[in-house]
Amino acid sequence: MDQSILLRKGLDLNIAGGADSSAELRWIGSKHIAIVPDDFPGFTPKLDVKEGDSVRRGQSLMHDKNDERIRLSSPVTGTVESVVRGERRKIERVVVAVSEEDAVVTHIVVPGNADSIREALMASGLWAMMRQRPYDIVPSPTATPRDIFVTAFDSAPLAPSLTAQVKGMEAEIEAGLKALQLLTSGKVYVSMREDEAVAVPAGVVSVGVKGPHPAGNAGVQAANIRPVNKGETVWTLDIVTVARIGALILTGTVDGHAIVAVTGSDVTRPEIVKTLIGADLSSLLQGNIHAEGHNYRVISGNVLTGVRTDIEGYLRFPYRQVTVIPEGNDVDEFMGWASMASDKMSVSRSFPSHFLFGKKFRPDARLHGGRRAMIMSGEYDKVLPMDILPEYLIKAIIARDIDRMESLGIYEIAPEDVALCEYVDPSKIELQKIVREGLDYLRKELD
């Protein structure tokens, strides 16, 4: 490793229902896939297709109104079955019926040419899979990032191994990292666990990371390697996206497959499966939910940052995990949230479960307490390994105090970074939503 960092703050949640990343992959096909524009902050969609149109893998489904070069493409060959709209005709998702054929759009990429790589990434839809700080949005094509930060592991609860997902793709990873080197004026950093090292080409900085979640967040890694200051821009992405970029460089085509962890205490058979980007969850979960006698919640993603959906929903970006846990709205237990039962998962020393190290818990989706005014308890600081004061930053965001938001580090942070703060928050405040609204407000006011 070229560098190493040790993060002492954070929290690993011991939840039952993890899948074995070393097990053999099982293929699960999907009859429909869906692309959801809301998964890509900063992207304002405008349709390039209509219902009934035939599309090829890698063909554009929609583009950004602010820059039509940035597109979201279809991961499959098929037919546009529906364009689902919400209030004020907002595009909620584009659903494509999957065909057995595999017609592909080939993107021309000139290796070693930064402009060619940029254009290919934007046209293929892979550009939208990266994030820019500040604002945690799809990167601006006109900006040159100071540095690019790649995370090669996911530390979220029950998350799959990212290095296992890219096993055997060394050539794609090398090509992807070399392409990223051409797009930045600074360095490309790849953060990894020391026991799951990834080979990187010359000039790319490898960083060994130790510590609990959120150590796997690229933004947290950036804050501990080289923080983002006002006026600077950095990009973040994961190693799976790097491999997809490398495949585009080498073949000119977009890989529409995704390796997904089906996890959670209400899953009968936790497993890692191979499917399609945006696959329908009914295919992934068919016959694999153990929820007799109680209600359950389906989450596309992990329990901290995932999107609540249902069995008829679709796999959402970053397309690597589905979690099923008890809903909890049909539970009748003695003393409710104040129960001292040993199976009650808690970070508080007031509960005996705090001292049951290694025990796997089966939490549900209840708040376990009512919403109330923010309590300045210092709990946020214990789980956020960044050099900011999260409680004061949240207050500044709520007050829409731009100067104070800037001085307290809003340019470094993204909603996923405060997910653990939201979990330990005794006030039950929706911190991720507040941070997202604050970033959008700041961008609107300053841009």
Side-chain angles (χ1 to χ4, degrees):
M1 302 292 176
D2 298 315
Q3 297 182 19
S4 62
I5 56 176
L6 172 62
L7 305 180
R8 300 186 182 278
K9 294 182 179 180
L11 179 65
D12 288 326
L13 302 183
N14 293 323
I15 300 177
D20 182 4
S21 294
S22 63
E24 186 176 351
L25 294 178
R26 184 167 70 96
W27 165 256
I28 297 181
S30 180
K31 294 182 179 179
H32 302 86
I33 65 93
I35 300 298
V36 181
D38 280 352
D39 290 343
F40 306 94
F43 183 92
T44 305
K46 186 171 184 180
L47 287 174
D48 291 328
V49 295
K50 61 181 182 297
E51 293 181 0
D53 283 358
S54 295
V55 294
R56 294 175 291 167
R57 174 160 59 94
Q59 181 178 332
S60 175
L61 296 176
M62 59 194 99
H63 66 266
D64 187 359
K65 286 184 179 180
N66 300 315
D67 193 322
E68 64 179 19
R69 295 176 297 170
I70 303 177
R71 300 177 180 273
L72 298 181
S73 65
S74 174
V76 298
T77 299
T79 304
V80 179
E81 185 169 278
S82 63
V83 177
V84 181
R85 295 182 180 268
E87 295 181 2
R88 304 179 66 179
R89 294 188 57 76
K90 174 186 175 182
I91 301 172
E92 293 189 344
R93 62 181 178 272
V94 176
V95 180
V96 178
V98 181
S99 170
E100 294 182 358
E101 300 179 2
D102 187 23
V104 184
V105 172
T106 301
H107 300 276
I108 299 175
V109 187
V110 179
N113 186 303
D115 291 336
S116 175
I117 292 171
R118 278 178 179 263
E119 294 299 325
L121 290 178
M122 288 187 283
S124 66
L126 294 180
W127 186 272
M129 293 188 181
M130 299 188 291
R131 292 291 176 269
Q132 169 190 303
R133 307 244 176 154
Y135 310 131
D136 188 45
I137 58 173
V138 173
S140 168
T142 60
T144 299
R146 185 205 68 193
D147 298 298
I148 298 177
F149 295 88
V150 179
T151 180
F153 69 99
D154 189 347
S155 59
L158 306 180
S161 168
L162 298 189
T163 52
Q165 293 191 25
V166 295
K167 185 178 181 180
M169 303 182 70
E170 290 79 9
E172 287 84 352
I173 291 173
E174 181 178 2
L177 291 175
K178 287 182 176 179
L180 292 177
Q181 285 181 294
L182 297 173
L183 302 182
T184 176
S185 58
K187 296 181 179 180
V188 176
Y189 296 87
V190 181
S191 298
M192 62 194 78
R193 296 293 198 192
E194 293 184 355
D195 58 346
E196 293 185 309
V198 177
V200 299
V204 174
V205 182
S206 60
V207 183
V209 182
K210 294 181 180 179
H213 185 64
N217 290 5
V220 169
Q221 296 162 5
N224 285 273
I225 297 171
R226 194 180 175 197
V228 184
N229 299 311
K230 184 177 180 180
E232 296 178 336
T233 298
V234 302
W235 294 352
T236 63
L237 66 159
D238 61 35
I239 197 69
V240 177
T241 304
V242 170
R244 288 195 175 108
I245 292 173
L248 177 70
I249 302 297
L250 296 176
T251 67
T253 61
V254 178
D255 182 6
H257 295 102
I259 296 177
V260 180
V262 181
T263 62
S265 58
D266 267 359
V267 171
T268 306
R269 185 182 61 258
E271 60 180 339
I272 310 291
V273 301
K274 188 173 184 178
T275 185
L276 297 170
I277 287 175
D280 61 271
L281 298 183
S282 58
S283 298
L284 296 179
L285 297 174
Q286 185 176 15
N288 200 16
I289 296 180
H290 177 68
E292 296 179 2
H294 68 271
N295 299 331
Y296 60 88
R297 176 175 293 193
V298 179
I299 303 168
S300 181
N302 63 69
V303 293
L304 294 175
T305 63
V307 179
R308 179 183 181 180
T309 180
D310 54 48
I311 195 68
E312 301 301 325
Y314 295 87
L315 184 65
R316 304 283 291 271
F317 181 81
Y319 311 121
R320 61 173 178 250
Q321 187 176 1
V322 178
T323 310
V324 186
I325 61 174
E327 183 66 54
N329 59 357
D330 53 353
V331 174
D332 185 13
E333 63 180 350
F334 178 66
M335 294 181 67
W337 65 268
S339 170
M340 299 297 291
S342 61
D343 60 350
K344 181 76 68 176
M345 188 172 76
S346 176
V347 297
S348 172
R349 294 177 180 269
S350 301
F351 291 82
S353 60
H354 178 83
F355 304 97
L356 300 177
F357 304 107
K359 178 180 174 62
K360 298 294 183 181
F361 294 93
R362 190 173 178 270
D364 55 41
R366 289 177 293 170
L367 286 178
H368 292 293
R371 300 181 188 277
R372 58 187 73 87
M374 180 184 287
I375 300 171
M376 302 293 284
S377 61
E379 291 297 319
Y380 300 172
D381 296 306
K382 297 177 182 178
V383 296
L384 183 60
M386 300 174 74
D387 189 21
I388 64 174
L389 300 173
E391 290 173 332
Y392 294 95
L393 175 59
I394 294 298
K395 285 192 170 186
I397 293 173
I398 293 173
R400 296 295 189 262
D401 186 337
I402 292 178
D403 290 339
R404 191 140 175 83
M405 289 158 63
E406 290 180 339
S407 65
L408 288 169
I410 194 169
Y411 292 122
E412 297 183 54
I413 208 162
E416 66 174 5
D417 298 329
V418 298
L420 271 177
C421 300
E422 187 174 288
Y423 171 73
V424 303
D425 183 16
S427 301
K428 317 299 179 184
I429 298 174
E430 295 180 293
L431 301 179
Q432 294 181 77
K433 180 181 178 182
I434 291 172
V435 170
R436 179 74 269 163
E437 292 174 348
L439 291 170
D440 292 343
Y441 172 80
L442 189 66
R443 180 164 63 97
K444 181 180 178 182
E445 290 297 309
L446 297 184
D447 288 359

